[in-house]
Amino acid sequence: MNHYTYYCPSCQKEFSKNFIEENLIYLCPACGKAERNKPLEGVLRIKYDYEKIRKSDFKSKIFNSLPGSIWNFPEILPLDFDYNKNVFPEIDFALLNTLTLSTNPIIKLKFENYNLYAFDDTRNPTFSYKDRASILVAFKAIQLGLNKISAASTGNAGSSIAGICARLGLEANIFVPKTIPESKRIQIQSYGANLFVVDGTYDDAFDLCLEVSSKKKWFNRNTAFNPLTIEGKKSAAYDIYILFRGKVPENIFVPAGDGVIIGGLYKGFLELFELKLIEKLPKLIAVQSSGSNAIVRYFKTKKFKFKSAETIADSICAAAPRNLFMAYEAIS
Ligand SMILES: [Zn+2]
């Protein structure tokens, strides 16, 4: 029996795991839309059997684990898991061990009278938070029998999936805007990925990647479009929970471009709440550049209006945040 299903928060429809995954469906089949220069509609979410997990020894298991080891919790991961053999079918655990995340990503800081903590994901396999999503997407591709993955990226997600694919022997096809910083372009190419430099913005690269991937049947890692990107990024909420021994911080500031990191953190904390492991959700605060502030504008006006984005903070430069509606829910 499958331990998770897909559902659409917009139209409330629920879909079986087999229907969505075997047909390579990404957005809600009933109401999903990926339109040019607009946020995605019908971004699917994954639901687990929270009641069953609550009744298990999940809490003690989590407290006996190190951060960065979400693989110890197959009950909250959208991967096939063989409970009799205690393995993820098709996935080599030796390879998994070469893709470990940092076990202590917290850096303590002091500012005036405040205790601040920075979440440092630069010690991940490709030095980026994006690895949390890339590893999960790559494993899903392997379980689906697909060996080609694509992604549109401003740089970090592309180099992340390129690096993870290199390690796992998969082909990576990365679409980037022509403004990509040279260091990130070189990082992607050094992992041996096929690089497509799009004469346009990140939003153009995103759209082109969707079109080509659909024709070529590449497994698409585009952020938010593939719901597993949100699932992978939720792991940071679990890591924060483990590191703070259940006492999660009151406020968490999150850099936001497409809104998938903040959406992922929100999903993770929602699950911890659903599992009765925390009593209230931390306040998530989206931080944007004034030159790329679509989420902030939407928060104020409740309307999305496309406005081209420009900022030196290239990783959070997104004029049409793909995960806008979930990001809005996360900060509301
Ligand atoms: Zn829907």
Side-chain angles (χ1 to χ4, degrees):
M1 206 181 100
N2 296 322
H3 64 283
Y4 63 97
T5 54
Y6 288 81
Y7 77 100
C8 172
S10 304
C11 72
Q12 310 294 324
K13 288 200 167 72
E14 207 165 316
F15 308 94
S16 77
K17 165 220 178 240
N18 291 349
F19 171 69
I20 295 294
E21 294 179 359
E22 285 167 14
N23 294 298
L24 283 188
I25 293 168
Y26 299 91
L27 297 176
C28 172
C31 75
K33 276 189 213 157
E35 292 180 332
R36 195 168 171 74
N37 292 334
K38 282 189 180 170
L40 297 170
E41 289 184 41
V43 173
L44 290 173
R45 282 189 214 171
I46 293 171
K47 199 161 80 175
Y48 303 88
D49 189 344
Y50 299 111
E51 203 185 328
K52 189 175 165 192
I53 301 170
R54 252 197 324 260
K55 287 177 184 157
S56 71
D57 61 347
F58 189 73
K59 188 175 180 178
S60 62
K61 205 164 86 167
I62 218 169
F63 277 135
N64 286 320
S65 291
L66 287 171
S69 56
I70 194 171
W71 311 110
N72 289 340
F73 316 116
E75 56 272 65
I76 50 145
L77 283 181
L79 291 173
D80 291 336
F81 189 73
D82 184 335
Y83 283 90
N84 293 323
K85 296 183 184 155
N86 216 23
V87 293
F88 292 103
E90 317 296 335
I91 294 168
D92 183 347
F93 243 80
L95 275 180
L96 184 56
N97 288 333
T98 65
L99 293 171
T100 49
L101 302 175
S102 169
T103 53
N104 185 13
I106 295 290
I107 298 172
K108 280 186 195 172
L109 303 165
K110 195 94 188 158
F111 176 70
E112 295 176 350
N113 283 329
Y114 296 98
N115 284 322
L116 295 181
Y117 299 90
F119 193 87
D120 173 18
D121 248 5
T122 61
R123 285 169 281 168
N124 289 344
T126 78
F127 323 111
S128 152
Y129 194 107
K130 309 294 170 94
D131 291 341
R132 294 175 180 272
S134 297
I135 296 170
L136 186 58
V137 168
F139 283 166
K140 174 56 71 186
I142 292 171
Q143 287 198 330
L144 291 172
L146 302 169
N147 60 7
K148 293 176 182 173
I149 298 182
S150 59
S153 168
T154 57
N156 289 334
S159 46
S160 167
I161 192 70
I164 303 302
C165 280
R167 170 63 79 187
L168 297 175
L170 304 170
E171 180 184 299
N173 297 285
I174 314 298
F175 293 72
V176 299
K178 64 179 175 189
T179 50
I180 184 172
E182 201 181 359
S183 54
K184 291 183 184 173
R185 178 182 59 75
I186 292 168
Q187 191 186 4
I188 293 171
Q189 287 176 311
S190 70
Y191 290 127
N194 298 322
L195 186 74
F196 302 94
V197 180
V198 178
D199 187 11
T201 61
Y202 164 65
D203 301 279
D204 295 319
F206 194 99
D207 292 340
L208 188 64
C209 179
L210 291 192
E211 201 181 318
V212 177
S213 307
S214 152
K215 280 184 189 148
K216 302 252 182 198
K217 300 259 183 294
W218 292 339
F219 193 51
N220 193 303
R221 186 220 177 274
N222 275 18
T223 198
F225 183 69
N226 187 326
L228 268 64
T229 53
I230 297 167
E231 285 300 297
K233 290 177 182 180
K234 84 177 179 189
S235 61
Y238 283 87
D239 285 353
I240 290 170
Y241 180 80
I242 295 170
L243 278 161
F244 286 92
R245 305 305 294 165
K247 294 190 181 77
V248 298
E250 282 174 50
N251 299 295
I252 301 179
F253 294 84
V254 189
D258 262 323
V260 178
I261 291 181
I262 200 164
L265 275 172
Y266 171 63
K267 172 80 171 8
F269 286 120
L270 265 186
E271 287 187 356
L272 288 165
F273 183 74
E274 185 85 32
L275 294 167
K276 298 202 186 327
L277 296 176
I278 55 174
E279 286 173 6
K280 67 173 197 166
L281 297 174
K283 191 170 182 183
L284 297 176
I285 299 150
V287 180
Q288 295 211 284
S289 150
S290 55
S292 176
N293 62 350
I295 297 172
V296 174
R297 293 197 321 271
Y298 186 83
F299 187 74
K300 288 180 180 161
T301 63
K302 315 286 177 286
K303 281 197 182 93
F304 173 74
K305 203 166 164 235
F306 181 82
K307 185 179 151 196
S308 55
E310 200 182 330
T311 167
I312 54 165
D314 57 274
S315 294
I316 51 168
C317 188
R322 308 298 154 166
N323 204 32
L324 176 69
F325 304 122
M326 190 175 186
Y328 173 71
E329 192 184 319
I331 59 177
S332 297

